[in-house]
Amino acid sequence: MRQRKSADDKDRFENPNAFRRKEMTTSSSHLTFSSTRVFVICLTMRMANSLLVQTYFNPDEHWQALEVAHRFTFGYGHLTWEWKKGIRSYLHPMVFAFLYKALALFHLDTPLFMIKAPRLLQSIFSAVGDLYLYKLSRVLFGDHVAQWALFSQLTNWFMFYCFTRTLSNSLETVLTLVGLYYWPCIRASSSEGHSVSRKWGLVVAALACAIRPTSAITWAYVGLLELLSARDRPKFIFLEMAPIGVLVLTLACLLDHLMYGSWVLVPLNFLKFNFLSSGGDYYGTHKWHWYFTQGFSVMLFTFLPFSIAGIIRSKQWKLSGLIAWVLGLYSALGHKEFRFVLPVLPIALMFSGYTLASIGKSDSSYGKRKGSTSIQTKWPSKKHLAIFFLLATNLPMALYMSLVHQRGAEDVMNYLSEEARNGRVESILFLTPCHATPYYSTLHHNLPMRFLDCSPSEEKGVLDESDRFMMDPVSFASEFARNWSLPSHIVLFDSEEKLLTDFLIAHSFEEKRRFFHAHFKVDRDLQASMVLYSFKGQ
């Protein structure tokens, strides 16, 4: 017995992560799930998740993915200024273009399918991301932690709210989770680590960078770790990293050349606009500490203390360092958004899973010392309290944000899609801040539509249409109406409707429908509802 204890102490000292993984795996071997079972569970939950998401979050979900795919597939749709400047790759929109092609082929491009199918497709990708978070957690910490990491991932409010949306950040997050699983430097503490080819990790990393060039922030960190730990550095650089990177970049460039009609190096254009010229600042800036004090903290929400505790207890500094690296570099940019740091949110949630697993383990040990009665009374109460706290705080938030907050933008376009299908819409004018609703990808009818432009001006200090309208809605609308083609429908928020009532009546418009939008302030004003006006006789 003394000899066995001595061996265990040696293992604990020399390889603490492996020892913890062995302990946790042994204590929960009867709960081990197969990868197939985990994927089925995740897929079922993510598909339900995608159907529950009925609100508007970020314009890029529609305007930089579905709108582009719709234009390619059906021949009409709006391309924003980014596509004219060549700072977006067609790689991500083409995923949904294939979906639209399939819907059109089987005559399923009805309003319902056009609205739901893209998010259902993304839910499949999201389930793959969930599976690989589970697999990565299992490799690093064992089955018990993997199960709680998955629990954290599936119940975190922001993952529920954002992961099944058709943002390029969502697919980037999936690829990040898959890629990390295959990198030996991340799995170094595992005996299985070197049996997995890092070539797959390189392929996935290159693909993520092709879809979103900013993903290079993540993979530069991982690549540097691999370079420092690898024994075959020349092979890694010249026979793996360089050929795979060049191949994927070449294929992405060929696709963009085909779509743009000329040679366009998207990563370079993206770098020039967002980093060298700070073009993103046009859409607003935040303080340098925003991700730490507000953005990422809000995304983690009540999982935050569990994540911090997991980082400290696990001593898995490579992955916690990745979180700090990504948050630090994005903090140096003026323009900040929640979705930019989405790829490292699952990693933080994995550390929450580590803490939850540790709670159960420590309580179990305490119960054994105190007696069998304590196992039944002490252990469940502490574990259940943590679970109840996380569910009670995250699920209401997830459901409110997915079903209630900012749903008017989606509802008005869903309604107009049905009306257009029945021939009751001729043209639409959006007197709202630019990109406030989905567009042709939801309407799915080729009829004239007009929104207020907000493309960055070449001259500093020149206000765009959207800003001019928000500053003085009445003057802008009166001037705009002098040269307009009279629309059959006007969409606007109630905050501007109050100012434009006389204008609308004077031009023979009447209220058609009113859609609830939000209880709280969005951007500049409280946009409580979105209102649809129609020309009399429509």
Side-chain angles (χ1 to χ4, degrees):
M1 286 291 291
R2 178 180 285 177
Q3 205 172 13
R4 182 177 177 182
K5 185 176 179 181
S6 160
D8 282 350
D9 287 343
K10 183 179 179 182
D11 285 346
R12 187 194 302 270
F13 178 76
E14 293 181 351
N15 198 345
N17 281 336
F19 188 85
R20 281 193 299 270
R21 189 171 60 254
K22 180 180 177 183
E23 279 189 318
M24 292 179 179
T25 303
T26 302
S27 67
S28 62
S29 58
H30 62 289
L31 294 174
T32 302
F33 296 141
S34 69
S35 293
T36 303
R37 184 181 176 189
V38 169
F39 180 70
V40 170
I41 292 171
C42 293
L43 180 60
T44 302
M45 294 192 69
R46 287 303 178 196
M47 292 185 81
N49 182 177
S50 71
L51 295 174
L52 285 170
V53 173
Q54 299 174 30
T55 54
Y56 197 74
F57 169 43
N58 187 281
D60 282 14
E61 177 184 4
H62 297 280
W63 292 80
Q64 304 297 352
L66 303 184
E67 194 68 18
V68 181
H70 192 278
R71 181 183 176 92
F72 173 78
T73 307
F74 300 103
Y76 61 98
H78 182 83
L79 294 183
T80 60
W81 64 270
E82 291 97 330
W83 299 93
K84 298 167 186 175
K85 295 285 187 181
I87 66 172
R88 297 276 184 177
S89 174
Y90 277 90
L91 188 57
H92 181 241
M94 288 304 291
V95 173
F96 299 100
F98 285 123
L99 172 65
Y100 284 154
K101 283 283 188 184
L103 292 178
L105 181 64
F106 293 101
H107 305 289
L108 293 174
D109 53 326
T110 61
L112 179 63
F113 278 96
M114 292 297 293
I115 294 165
K116 300 297 183 184
R119 283 179 180 162
L120 283 170
L121 177 60
Q122 178 59 41
S123 72
I124 299 174
F125 300 142
S126 300
V128 172
D130 294 332
L131 171 63
Y132 273 87
L133 176 70
Y134 174 84
K135 293 175 72 171
L136 179 63
S137 304
R138 186 172 62 182
V139 163
L140 295 175
F141 304 119
D143 293 297
H144 194 44
V145 172
Q147 291 162 28
W148 286 108
L150 187 61
F151 166 82
S152 301
Q153 170 94 335
L154 293 174
T155 56
N156 173 260
W157 82 270
F158 196 83
M159 292 302 295
F160 187 95
Y161 175 59
C162 188
F163 205 23
T164 60
R165 295 181 183 272
T166 55
L167 292 159
S168 59
N169 309 88
S170 299
L171 188 54
E172 178 194 8
T173 303
V174 173
L175 293 172
T176 299
L177 291 169
V178 174
L180 287 174
Y181 175 77
Y182 287 110
W183 280 82
C185 63
I186 299 298
R187 303 161 52 110
S189 61
S190 170
S191 59
E192 305 170 30
H194 299 291
S195 66
V196 179
S197 173
R198 69 185 167 206
K199 292 177 183 176
W200 283 113
L202 281 163
V203 169
V204 174
L207 191 59
C209 292
I211 289 173
R212 276 196 70 81
T214 49
S215 193
I217 292 174
T218 297
W219 298 112
Y221 174 91
V222 176
L224 183 60
L225 281 182
E226 183 65 26
L227 194 62
L228 293 174
S229 62
R231 297 179 180 177
D232 54 346
R233 293 176 188 173
K235 178 185 175 184
F236 171 61
I237 297 172
F238 298 108
L239 298 181
E240 295 179 5
M241 186 170 66
I244 290 173
V246 170
L247 176 62
V248 173
L249 180 62
T250 300
L251 292 175
C253 284
L254 286 173
L255 173 64
D256 290 331
H257 173 67
L258 178 66
M259 300 303 297
Y260 278 108
S262 61
W263 288 108
V264 175
L265 196 58
V266 170
L268 181 60
N269 293 340
F270 191 93
L271 176 68
K272 285 180 179 178
F273 180 80
N274 288 288
F275 291 88
L276 302 182
S277 66
S278 300
D281 293 359
Y282 181 80
Y283 294 105
T285 59
H286 295 82
K287 297 290 186 181
W288 69 267
H289 54 75
W290 184 80
Y291 283 119
F292 295 97
T293 58
Q294 297 177 58
F296 200 64
S297 301
V298 168
M299 292 164 72
L300 273 172
F301 200 38
T302 50
F303 281 96
L304 179 61
F306 295 89
S307 295
I308 294 173
I311 289 171
I312 296 170
R313 290 183 179 187
S314 69
K315 295 181 172 58
Q316 181 57 249
W317 305 120
K318 291 178 182 178
L319 284 176
S320 56
L322 174 59
I323 297 173
W325 167 265
V326 169
L327 295 181
L329 285 191
Y330 272 112
S331 294
L333 301 177
H335 181 59
K336 299 175 177 65
E337 295 185 34
F338 292 103
R339 61 191 178 94
F340 291 169
V341 295
L342 182 64
V344 293
L345 179 60
I347 301 171
L349 293 170
M350 180 178 68
F351 287 117
S352 295
Y354 187 94
T355 299
L356 290 170
S358 299
I359 290 173
K361 179 174 171 292
S362 60
D363 285 346
S364 178
S365 300
Y366 179 85
K368 287 178 182 178
R369 289 196 300 271
K370 286 292 193 178
S372 60
T373 305
S374 296
I375 298 176
Q376 297 299 321
T377 59
K378 181 84 175 175
W379 182 85
S381 62
K382 190 174 180 182
K383 172 74 93 176
H384 292 166
L385 186 61
I387 296 170
F388 176 78
F389 170 68
L390 291 170
L391 292 177
T393 50
N394 280 271
L395 292 188
M397 183 82 156
L399 292 173
Y400 178 80
M401 295 298 291
S402 300
L403 289 169
V404 181
H405 185 62
Q406 294 193 91
R407 70 168 298 142
E410 299 271 346
D411 288 343
V412 70
M413 290 306 295
N414 297 347
Y415 174 79
L416 283 168
S417 178
E418 288 287 355
E419 290 289 285
R421 193 182 189 199
N422 294 320
R424 292 194 285 266
V425 180
E426 295 178 7
S427 59
I428 307 170
L429 171 64
F430 295 85
L431 290 179
T432 65
C434 68
H435 309 140
T437 68
Y439 214 50
Y440 282 109
S441 59
T442 295
L443 188 77
H444 194 48
H445 281 82
N446 192 9
L447 50 83
M449 292 201 291
R450 173 76 158 84
F451 69 94
L452 304 182
D453 184 59
C454 59
S455 302
S457 174
E458 298 291 339
E459 301 177 27
K460 290 186 178 180
V462 177
L463 296 177
D464 57 47
E465 285 185 339
S466 182
D467 284 334
R468 282 167 26 221
F469 171 73
M470 296 303 293
M471 286 180 65
D472 190 348
V474 177
S475 296
F476 180 90
S478 299
E479 182 181 346
F480 186 83
R482 293 175 186 172
N483 300 310
W484 71 1
S485 296
L486 190 68
S488 66
H489 291 75
I490 295 178
V491 177
L492 69 167
F493 285 110
D494 64 318
S495 51
E496 282 69 53
E497 176 204 18
K498 296 170 185 175
L499 302 173
L500 292 172
T501 301
D502 293 340
F503 169 85
L504 293 166
I505 293 173
H507 289 83
S508 301
F509 283 91
E510 61 183 359
E511 182 182 326
K512 182 78 171 178
R513 287 287 296 269
R514 188 174 294 266
F515 302 89
F516 167 80
H517 189 63
H519 290 115
F520 307 103
K521 182 181 287 190
V522 180
D523 295 328
R524 313 174 197 192
D525 302 302
L526 170 60
Q527 299 166 338
S529 58
M530 185 158 265
V531 192
L532 176 65
Y533 275 76
S534 64
F535 186 68
K536 289 182 180 179
Q538 288 292 325

